[in-house]
């Protein structure tokens, strides 16, 4: 079966809606390059849409009823939103779920060092990446530094046009004969992903001391004093700049969460502007339309839920990943505030729920056609992608949705004129992957993977189709209304 190109559904006015939605999405992923930034923006949008903080509702002993809207944040790196429906929650929820973490380079806890007049930061890569793709490009620093007094300092360097960027050097081709003979996973080693952040020592005054009061502890001959004052002078200069701008010391890196991401905004891609290139499409291209669909869900029959989680790229582990009990706990809290809670009703609510686990799929690329089985792959322009199963090597690690649930979704999509396609993630025995779907399926609910096709997945800059983004948004709205 050949699915039609979704662009053909739209006249000029319809295409303007697609482009307008894509512009809003581009702004989102340009501003939100970490999970913390995504959560902060989600809270802002939610409160603009009339959502209240669930923890405030609990602390104020307020009651919830149908039509109310609440959100809850988990350690600044995950969020869940509820739009309470008319039906009892034990009848089930309609849930959209996506992850807001993306592959990146994390700064180590003791990162800063000087070598031959250059100052660098050590990193540890996060998620599955081709390490050679992350060199020789402008990068930005994002994150927070937690101080001992309990306050935190937000860091963002390299996103504004008048700000400096940082980066990782590559070996010039003239000297790369040995490097070019290495396997792709060894061309750049993980421990060599060191970020260059400075090369200039502080200015010195007329007496030979630096303008930053860099003094040697060595009180010997002048030559020894000069050598001592030069040692790590560039590093000391970088630290003085960080102290001046952010008020942080070198020791504060011990309690920091800083990451290195591609610098600059998402941009239109293609002469026809039909695509978007940017960092973090996986999985914010699903998270953003899920969030917007949730915010537009007013007075639903069944309670609508959107959960945006952390740590999917490394197994959904930890307190902010999908394996945590946060989601279950928040469902229990909402049921309690609405007078519906019991342990049995909570179990019923979860097992009777329907969910779209929204994550990306690999879009067909003619340059690498051999990795796909063409009848069962995702294509740009053919709409949102449903993946009955993911996994690898015989569907290992997969949620395999039931035929009945997929049939129900087909009807919802057709009734709402949503363009959709079905796909696997690569040829059998060649690839595969996992999402958060199987974790939610443990409750016994109906879950299927759905999302947007992506080229260059997990590269610093990924590419998506604008019409697929828009069809995903339409599919999420239809699901929350009709599932």
């Amino acid at each position: 079966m050949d699915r039609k190109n979704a662009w053909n559904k739209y006249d000029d006015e319809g295409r303007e809606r697609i482009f307008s939605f894509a512009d809003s999405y581009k702004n989102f992923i340009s501003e939100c390059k970490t999970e913390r930034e995504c959560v902060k923006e989600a809270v802002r949008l939610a409160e603009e849409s009339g959502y209240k903080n669930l923890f405030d509702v609990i602390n104020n002993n307020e009651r919830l009823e149908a039509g109310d809207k609440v959100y809850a944040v988990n350690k600044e790196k995950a969020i869940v939103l509820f739009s309470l429906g008319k039906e009892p929650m034990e009848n089930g929820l309609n849930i959209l779920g996506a992850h807001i973490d993306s592959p990146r380079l994390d700064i180590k806890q003791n990162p800063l060092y000087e070598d031959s007049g250059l100052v660098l930061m050590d990193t540890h890569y996060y998620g599955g990446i081709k390490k050679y793709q992350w060199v020789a490009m402008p990068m930005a620093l994002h994150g927070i530094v937690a101080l001992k007094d309990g306050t935190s300092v937000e860091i963002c360097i390299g996103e504004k046009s008048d700000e400096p960027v940082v980066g990782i050097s590559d070996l010039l081709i003239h000297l790369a004969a040995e490097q070019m003979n290495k396997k792709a996973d060894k061309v750049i080693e993980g421990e060599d992903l060191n970020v260059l952040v400075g090369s200039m020592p502080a200015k010195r005054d007329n007496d030979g001391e630096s303008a930053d009061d860099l003094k040697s502890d060595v009180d010997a001959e002048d030559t020894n004093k000069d050598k001592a004052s030069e040692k790590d002078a560039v590093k000391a200069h970088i630290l003085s700049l960080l102290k001046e701008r952010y008020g942080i010391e070198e020791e504060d890196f011990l309690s920091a969460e800083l990451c290195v991401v591609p610098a600059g905004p998402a941009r239109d891609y293609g002469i026809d502007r039909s695509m978007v290139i940017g960092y973090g499409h996986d999985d914010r291209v699903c998270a953003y339309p899920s969030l917007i669909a949730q915010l537009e869900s007013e007075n639903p029959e069944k309670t609508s839920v959107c959960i945006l989680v952390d740590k999917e790229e490394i197994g959904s582990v930890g307190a902010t990943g999908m394996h945590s009990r946060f989601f279950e706990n928040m469902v229990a809290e909402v049921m309690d505030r609405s007078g519906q809670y019991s342990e049995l009703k909570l179990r019923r609510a979860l097992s009777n729920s329907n969910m779209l686990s929204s994550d990306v799929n690999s879009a067909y690329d003619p340059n690498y056609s051999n990795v796909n089985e063409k009848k069962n792959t995702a294509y740009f322009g053919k709409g949102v992608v449903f993946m009955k199963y993911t996994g690898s090597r015989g569907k290992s690690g997969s949620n395999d949705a039931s035929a009945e649930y997929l049939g129900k979704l087909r009807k919802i999509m057709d009734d709402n004129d949503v363009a959709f396609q079905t796909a696997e993630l690569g040829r059998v025995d060649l690839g595969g992957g996992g999402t958060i779907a199987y974790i939610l399926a443990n409750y016994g609910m109906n879950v299927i993977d759905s999302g947007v096709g992506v080229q260059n997945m997990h590269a610093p800059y990924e590419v998506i189709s604008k019409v697929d983004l828009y069809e995903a948004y339409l599919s999420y709205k239809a699901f929350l209304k009709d599932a």
Side-chain angles (χ1 to χ4, degrees):
M1 294 177 291
D2 185 31
R3 310 300 293 186
K4 296 179 180 179
N5 193 310
W7 285 109
N8 293 328
K9 287 172 48 181
Y10 296 98
D11 57 15
D12 289 343
E13 184 178 343
R15 293 189 178 195
E16 281 299 315
R17 291 196 302 272
I18 294 171
F19 276 68
S20 177
F21 190 83
D23 286 342
S24 298
Y25 168 66
K26 285 188 297 180
N27 290 335
F28 178 82
I29 61 169
S30 297
E31 296 293 328
C32 303
K33 294 189 176 182
T34 69
E35 59 276 14
R36 288 177 181 270
E37 292 165 343
C38 289
V39 167
K40 187 176 180 179
E41 179 64 4
V43 168
R44 186 188 71 81
L45 293 172
E47 291 181 345
E48 282 186 357
S49 299
Y51 278 73
K52 297 189 293 185
N53 189 323
L54 176 59
F55 296 116
D56 289 341
V57 171
I58 295 168
N59 292 336
N60 295 332
N61 198 29
E62 298 176 25
R63 305 295 292 175
L64 294 174
E65 57 186 28
D68 286 340
K69 299 178 288 187
V70 292
Y71 70 87
V73 171
N74 182 13
K75 296 176 172 58
E76 315 304 326
K77 293 192 281 188
I79 185 172
V80 61
L81 305 98
F82 298 84
S83 180
L84 272 67
K86 301 169 186 175
E87 293 188 19
M89 290 179 69
E90 69 175 301
N91 289 356
L93 318 170
N94 289 338
I95 306 168
L96 300 173
H99 68 91
I100 48 177
D101 60 315
S102 295
R104 60 177 186 256
L105 306 177
D106 284 340
I107 298 295
K108 291 186 179 182
Q109 286 183 282
N110 186 19
L112 205 62
Y113 67 98
E114 181 173 338
D115 187 340
S116 306
L118 300 178
V119 175
L120 302 101
M121 286 184 173
D122 285 315
T123 70
H124 193 135
Y125 63 92
Y126 173 93
I129 65 171
K130 294 178 178 179
K131 295 184 284 292
Y132 63 80
Q133 292 180 329
W134 290 73
V135 301
M137 67 168 53
M139 309 289 270
L141 282 169
H142 287 241
I144 64 112
V145 179
L147 306 180
K148 290 190 292 185
D149 64 5
T151 62
S152 293
V153 180
E154 293 187 5
I155 306 289
C156 184
I157 303 173
E159 295 296 352
K160 297 178 180 177
S161 59
D162 61 347
E163 286 182 335
V165 295
V166 297
I168 301 166
S169 61
D170 195 8
L171 182 62
L172 63 161
I173 188 65
H174 309 74
L175 302 178
E178 291 184 0
Q179 183 192 53
M180 297 295 285
N181 288 323
K182 292 181 179 180
K183 292 177 63 178
D185 63 344
K186 298 295 184 182
V187 169
I188 301 292
E189 300 278 2
E191 284 290 356
D192 293 335
L193 292 171
N194 305 312
V195 181
L196 180 61
V197 299
S199 65
M200 180 174 64
K203 290 187 295 184
R204 304 177 67 85
D205 62 24
N206 293 333
D207 294 329
E209 300 290 356
S210 75
D212 295 289
D213 294 326
L214 305 175
K215 296 182 179 180
S216 168
D217 291 330
V218 181
D219 251 343
E221 298 179 357
D222 288 343
T223 52
N224 290 334
K225 185 175 181 180
D226 288 342
K227 289 179 181 178
S229 66
E230 289 294 330
K231 180 177 172 56
D232 288 347
V234 181
K235 176 183 173 182
H237 187 212
I238 294 297
L239 287 170
S240 73
L241 294 174
L242 293 173
K243 175 71 172 178
E244 176 184 347
R245 181 169 179 180
Y246 298 105
I248 60 176
E249 310 276 359
E250 183 174 12
E251 189 178 85
D252 294 326
F253 283 112
L254 294 174
S255 53
E257 288 183 0
L258 296 172
C259 60
V260 181
V261 296
R267 300 180 63 180
D268 285 347
Y269 193 70
I271 296 172
D272 57 1
R273 296 181 178 269
S274 63
M275 298 166 283
V276 176
I277 185 169
Y279 166 69
H281 286 318
D282 181 7
D283 183 35
R284 293 165 196 146
V285 73
C286 298
Y288 180 76
S290 294
L291 174 63
I292 300 304
Q294 172 69 23
L295 297 182
E296 293 178 358
S297 176
E298 299 279 350
N299 300 307
E301 292 297 319
K302 287 187 175 181
T303 295
S304 298
V305 183
C306 176
I307 182 164
L308 307 178
V309 294
D310 182 27
K311 297 294 188 289
E312 192 276 343
E313 296 295 357
I314 58 172
S316 297
V317 294
T320 54
M322 197 65 246
H323 275 299
S324 79
R325 300 289 289 273
F326 173 71
F327 170 66
E328 179 184 332
N329 291 344
M330 294 305 101
V331 174
E333 294 284 6
V334 171
M335 294 183 74
D336 180 64
R337 288 294 91 199
S338 55
Q340 302 182 50
Y341 176 75
S342 74
E343 184 65 17
L344 180 57
K345 289 181 178 179
L346 172 63
R347 298 298 155 200
R348 288 172 177 167
L350 294 171
S351 65
N352 289 333
S353 293
N354 295 314
M355 181 182 183
L356 295 184
S357 172
S358 302
D359 210 339
V360 297
N361 200 309
S362 173
Y364 178 77
D365 187 339
N367 288 327
Y368 307 99
S369 60
N370 63 313
V371 301
N372 299 112
E373 191 268 286
K374 294 182 72 172
K375 297 190 306 299
N376 291 284
T377 193
Y379 292 88
F380 273 0
K382 299 201 174 178
V384 66
V385 184
F386 286 105
M387 295 159 276
K388 188 177 187 297
Y389 47 82
T390 55
S392 58
R393 299 178 304 282
K395 303 183 183 180
S396 177
S398 168
N399 166 67
D400 196 340
S402 70
E404 293 86 351
Y405 185 43
L406 193 50
K408 178 179 180 178
L409 292 173
R410 287 174 55 203
K411 183 177 189 313
I412 293 173
M413 298 304 121
D414 287 346
D415 287 350
N416 289 275
D417 194 28
V418 176
F420 73 93
Q421 54 186 317
T422 60
E424 299 180 357
L425 186 59
R427 290 168 53 193
V428 175
D429 285 339
L430 187 63
T435 67
I436 64 172
Y438 75 97
I439 305 168
L440 277 300
N442 288 335
Y443 291 112
M445 67 178 69
N446 287 316
V447 186
I448 193 170
D449 285 293
S450 71
V452 175
V454 176
Q455 286 188 355
N456 307 349
M457 193 189 300
H458 283 212
Y461 294 102
E462 302 167 319
V463 180
I464 59 99
S465 165
K466 290 182 179 180
V467 74
D468 294 339
L469 166 69
Y470 192 70
E471 294 297 329
Y473 158 68
L474 295 180
S475 76
Y476 299 152
K477 287 194 67 173
F479 170 80
L480 292 180
K481 178 172 65 75
D482 294 341

